[in-house]
């Protein structure tokens, strides 16, 4: 899970309490043999230890790995006490699984808020693991990694196969016979009975990923609140939160470190552009909302009064600028305002209110299109990035498959970073295919180009609104000044 980077100021206010939010990222994966992985190798890497996989005889030595600051195994009460030994636990998992495509373990990676102390981070992970996994019957092996680069995180490995009350491994699934409406078994036409398999636990249910992510957010926010911190995280996307804000892209530790050292990165530039776009949307929304409320109020108060043109001419006669510079500046402002009024056929406050109402509606339409396009572009860019990552490191994986078994571990350790990136890309693309989406890089690129062009055109329209907004703000400023002068004159007359 990516480190939580907290902004400098509040972005959400409820009542009188200000909440700070952070980027949330919580990947969940299955460690399985079909991807060339083993639970022992994964445990060795995450704990920074040397472990031997008794299933295939491979030794996995990660004792030189830095950044492992804490490791711990947590077991349900009925688990064998010898499972407190990391090698015993994961070799037992390897031995009980006979299939070449067996699912060996589940891993959840979570970012730890840098605002919490190490003791607070550890307490947070322990409570989350115990309440959600160990109490449900899973064995958990977690490690906290922190290289001092601002990205503390925890890897949580969980067993998939349940443990019986006698301490022995239980079955992952069971055979259940299909029954007809009378409760009788249904013949399969081959001398047997129709049947299906059912999981013996609810650990693999589809909704668990969402539930665990939401729970991690809740536990983290509770820990932050207990520590007196204002930061909060949310497992939901901006869209699900109902926030019309363009999400930034995931920087990753490499790009984050480069940016901290003052090195400009492509992802950093993208996020800076997104920040500028969000600022533009926020600025125009605030300005047009003020003008909408003001013009609505003025339209109800000015019925039957002089036209806007007469009002402005009278205002200019009453207030002649003192200096030549002020006169020129005033004339330019007047010209823009008069041009705006003439081009839009506005002669009364009622017509001005209608214009601002149309601008307000136009703003929300444009903003909706821009945010929708940006969100889709974010998805497409991630698809294309993972496709490029898959293509880049595919040759390394192909070389690994051709290496002699005796040299595979040495090759894998030498190219561990490249292989990890390839595996991450494979998992990502497999998840896409499982969701029913085709892997079509060419179509993704074409759609991204089209959306980018449409988005840029919409931004031009959005920026063009600034001139009209500025003209109306000039009118509002004049009206506010005259109102203040009128109040002052009224008070002076009363005091005489």
């Amino acid at each position: 899970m990516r480190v939580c980077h907290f902004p400098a100021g509040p972005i959400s206010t409820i009542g009188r309490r200000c909440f700070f939010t952070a980027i949330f990222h919580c990947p969940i994966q299955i460690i399985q043999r079909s991807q060339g992985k083993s639970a022992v190798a994964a445990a060795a890497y995450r704990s920074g230890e040397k472990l031997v996989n008794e299933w295939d005889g491979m030794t996995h030595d990660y004792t030189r790995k830095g950044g492992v600051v804490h490791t711990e195994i947590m077991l349900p009460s009925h688990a064998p006490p010898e499972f407190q030994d990391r090698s015993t636990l994961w070799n037992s998992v390897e031995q009980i699984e006979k299939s070449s495509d067996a699912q060996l373990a589940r891993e959840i990676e979570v970012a730890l808020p840098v605002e919490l102390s190490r003791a607070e981070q550890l307490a947070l992970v322990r409570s989350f693991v115990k309440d959600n996994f160990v109490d449900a019957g899973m064995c958990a092996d977690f490690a906290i990694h922190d290289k001092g680069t601002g990205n503390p995180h925890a890897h949580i490995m969980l067993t998939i196969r349940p443990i019986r009350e006698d301490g022995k491994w239980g079955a992952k699934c069971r055979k259940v016979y299909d029954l007809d409406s009378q409760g009788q078994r249904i013949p399969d036409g081959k001398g047997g009975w129709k049947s299906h398999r059912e999981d013996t636990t609810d650990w693999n249910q589809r909704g668990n990923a969402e539930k665990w992510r939401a729970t991690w957010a809740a536990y983290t926010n509770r820990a932050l609140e207990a520590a007196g911190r204002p930061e909060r995280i949310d497992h939901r996307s901006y869209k699900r939160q109902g926030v019309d804000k363009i999400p930034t892209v995931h920087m990753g530790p490499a790009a984050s470190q480069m940016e901290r050292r003052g090195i400009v990165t492509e992802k950093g530039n993208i996020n800076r552009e997104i920040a500028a776009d969000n600022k533009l949307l926020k600025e125009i929304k605030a300005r047009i909302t003020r003008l909408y409320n003001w013009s609505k109020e003025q339209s109800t108060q000015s019925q039957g009064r002089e036209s806007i043109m007469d009002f402005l001419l009278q205002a200019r006669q009453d207030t002649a600028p003192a200096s030549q510079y002020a006169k020129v500046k005033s004339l330019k402002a007047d010209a823009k305002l008069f041009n705006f009024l003439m081009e839009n056929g506005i002669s009364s406050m009622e017509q001005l209110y209608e214009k601002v109402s149309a601008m307000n509606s136009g703003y929300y339409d444009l903003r909706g299109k821009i945010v929708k396009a940006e969100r889709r572009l974010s998805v497409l860019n991630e698809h294309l990035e993972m496709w490029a990552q898959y293509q880049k490191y595919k040759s390394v994986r192909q070389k690994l498959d051709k290496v002699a078994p005796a040299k595979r571990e040495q090759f894998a350790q030498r190219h561990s970073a490249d292989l990890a990136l390839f595996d991450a890309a494979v998992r990502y693309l497999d998840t896409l295919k499982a969701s029913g989406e085709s892997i079509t890089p060419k179509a993704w690129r074409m759609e991204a180009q089209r959306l980018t062009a449409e988005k840029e055109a919409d931004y031009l329209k959005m920026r063009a609104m600034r001139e009209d907004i500025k003209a109306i703000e000039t009118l509002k400023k004049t009206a506010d000044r005259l109102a203040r002068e009128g109040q002052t004159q009224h008070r002076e007359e009363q005091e005489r």
Side-chain angles (χ1 to χ4, degrees):
M1 177 180 172
R2 185 168 59 201
V3 63
C4 298
H5 297 294
F6 301 115
I11 68 169
S12 175
T13 304
I14 303 175
R16 294 187 178 181
R17 297 181 61 193
C18 291
F19 291 88
F20 296 73
T21 58
I23 296 170
F24 181 90
H25 185 64
C26 178
I28 301 173
Q29 66 162 321
I30 297 294
I31 297 170
Q32 48 191 341
R33 285 193 184 129
S34 62
Q35 295 181 352
K37 296 184 178 181
S38 79
V40 171
Y45 178 80
R46 285 147 184 79
S47 64
E49 296 181 4
K50 180 179 180 180
L51 300 178
V52 178
N53 188 346
E54 298 169 5
W55 187 76
D56 58 11
M58 301 290 289
T59 299
H60 305 275
D61 186 357
Y62 292 100
T63 51
R64 294 184 180 180
K65 174 180 171 57
V68 181
V69 297
H70 182 87
T71 63
E72 186 172 331
I73 292 176
M74 301 177 70
L75 304 174
S77 58
H78 58 284
E82 57 265 28
F83 279 2
Q84 281 291 346
D85 177 74
R86 185 164 285 106
S87 177
T88 302
L89 169 62
W90 295 113
N91 269 300
S92 179
V93 168
E94 296 278 1
Q95 294 292 347
I96 196 66
E97 302 296 347
K98 309 302 180 185
S99 172
S100 61
D101 62 351
Q103 294 187 345
L104 303 168
R106 178 179 285 106
E107 182 192 32
I108 300 177
E109 186 185 343
V110 292
L112 302 175
V114 295
E115 284 72 15
L116 298 181
S117 67
R118 180 74 71 227
E120 290 167 337
Q121 291 172 348
L122 181 56
L124 168 60
V125 175
R126 279 178 177 154
S127 62
F128 175 66
V129 170
K130 177 185 178 298
D131 295 348
N132 293 278
F133 309 114
V134 177
D135 286 354
M138 304 179 211
C139 300
D141 180 5
F142 73 85
I144 294 178
H145 292 182
D146 189 355
K147 292 185 177 181
T149 57
N151 184 27
H153 58 279
H155 296 268
I156 305 166
M157 285 182 61
L158 305 165
T159 52
I160 292 177
R161 184 179 289 269
I163 299 177
R164 302 197 306 252
E165 288 300 322
D166 61 1
K168 304 294 184 182
W169 290 112
K172 290 181 180 177
C173 57
R174 56 176 171 264
K175 182 179 180 180
V176 178
Y177 289 104
D178 297 334
L179 304 177
D180 59 20
S181 57
Q182 279 73 44
Q184 301 298 315
R185 293 183 184 179
I186 303 172
D188 63 3
K190 301 176 183 178
W193 308 97
K194 290 184 178 181
S195 63
H196 63 276
R197 293 186 177 276
E198 288 183 356
D199 289 340
T200 56
T201 68
D202 62 356
W203 303 344
N204 289 325
Q205 288 184 356
R206 280 183 175 272
N208 280 344
E210 173 74 7
K211 181 180 73 175
W212 291 334
R213 289 187 175 107
T215 303
W216 172 252
Y219 274 55
T220 302
N221 289 336
R222 189 169 65 192
L224 288 166
E225 185 174 9
R229 299 295 309 187
E231 297 83 5
R232 297 294 182 267
I233 63 175
D234 197 317
H235 71 289
R236 300 169 300 166
S237 65
Y238 284 146
K239 184 175 182 180
R240 289 176 58 198
Q241 293 177 52
V243 177
D244 275 339
K245 184 177 179 180
I246 304 164
T248 54
V249 300
H250 174 35
M251 292 284 288
S256 297
Q257 290 178 38
M258 291 174 69
E259 288 283 341
R260 279 194 290 272
R261 293 199 299 268
I263 302 172
V264 176
T265 65
E266 182 180 354
K267 288 184 177 180
N269 286 335
I270 292 172
N271 280 344
R272 279 183 282 274
E273 183 180 342
I274 289 172
D277 291 343
N278 279 326
K279 185 178 179 180
L280 171 67
L281 294 177
K282 185 177 180 181
E283 172 214 324
I284 292 182
K285 178 183 179 182
R287 292 172 69 183
I288 206 166
T289 298
R290 285 194 294 269
L291 293 177
Y292 175 82
N293 293 333
W294 172 78
S295 63
K296 183 178 181 181
E297 180 183 357
Q298 292 296 314
S299 69
T300 58
Q301 294 178 357
S302 64
Q303 292 179 358
R305 291 169 55 183
E306 74 254 289
S307 70
I308 293 180
M309 291 294 188
D310 293 339
F311 163 76
L312 289 172
L313 290 171
Q314 182 61 44
R316 287 295 171 244
Q317 290 174 5
D318 293 343
T319 56
S323 66
Q324 186 66 26
Y325 171 79
K327 288 179 181 179
V328 172
K329 185 178 178 181
S330 178
L331 285 172
K332 288 181 178 179
D334 286 347
K336 287 184 178 181
L337 178 54
F338 286 136
N339 286 337
F340 168 77
L341 295 173
M342 294 296 292
E343 288 172 0
N344 290 277
I346 298 172
S347 61
S348 66
M349 280 296 182
E350 290 87 348
Q351 291 172 331
L352 179 67
Y353 170 60
E354 291 173 2
K355 172 61 179 178
V356 176
S357 295
M359 289 170 61
N360 192 49
S361 299
Y363 162 78
Y364 279 101
D365 288 343
L366 281 174
R367 187 180 71 169
K369 289 175 63 179
I370 289 171
V371 171
K372 184 178 179 181
E374 288 282 11
R375 285 173 174 160
R376 179 57 181 163
L377 279 168
S378 178
V379 172
L380 291 170
N381 288 334
E382 188 176 16
H383 288 359
L384 289 167
E385 182 182 336
M386 297 308 290
W387 173 254
Q389 186 170 306
Y390 169 82
Q391 292 289 92
K392 182 177 181 180
Y393 299 108
K394 181 170 64 174
S395 60
V396 181
R397 180 52 193 266
Q398 290 172 338
K399 289 177 183 177
L400 174 64
D401 294 338
K402 296 176 182 178
V403 172
K407 297 181 178 180
R408 281 177 63 87
E409 177 64 17
Q410 184 180 6
F411 182 92
Q413 287 189 2
R414 193 163 62 248
H415 300 279
S416 60
D418 292 350
L419 291 170
L421 289 169
F422 175 78
D423 289 341
V426 169
R427 287 196 303 272
Y428 181 90
L429 296 173
D430 283 346
T431 301
L432 277 187
K433 287 189 285 187
S435 68
E437 183 164 351
S438 301
I439 308 301
T440 54
K442 184 177 180 180
W444 291 339
R445 278 189 287 269
M446 291 177 63
E447 185 182 359
Q449 290 170 358
R450 176 180 60 79
L451 287 174
T452 299
E454 291 176 357
K455 181 197 71 173
E456 289 175 352
D458 288 334
Y459 268 120
L460 287 175
K461 294 176 185 176
M462 184 73 77
R463 291 187 179 95
M465 293 179 71
R466 278 175 160 167
E467 290 303 313
D468 287 350
I469 289 173
K470 192 181 295 184
I472 304 174
E473 285 174 338
T474 300
L475 176 60
K476 178 179 181 299
K477 194 179 298 182
T478 301
D480 290 343
R481 177 180 57 77
L482 291 176
R484 287 194 302 271
E485 291 175 355
Q487 291 173 356
T488 302
Q489 184 179 359
H490 180 68
R491 282 196 303 270
E492 291 174 350
E493 290 175 351
Q494 286 183 329
E495 291 172 356
R496 289 179 189 152

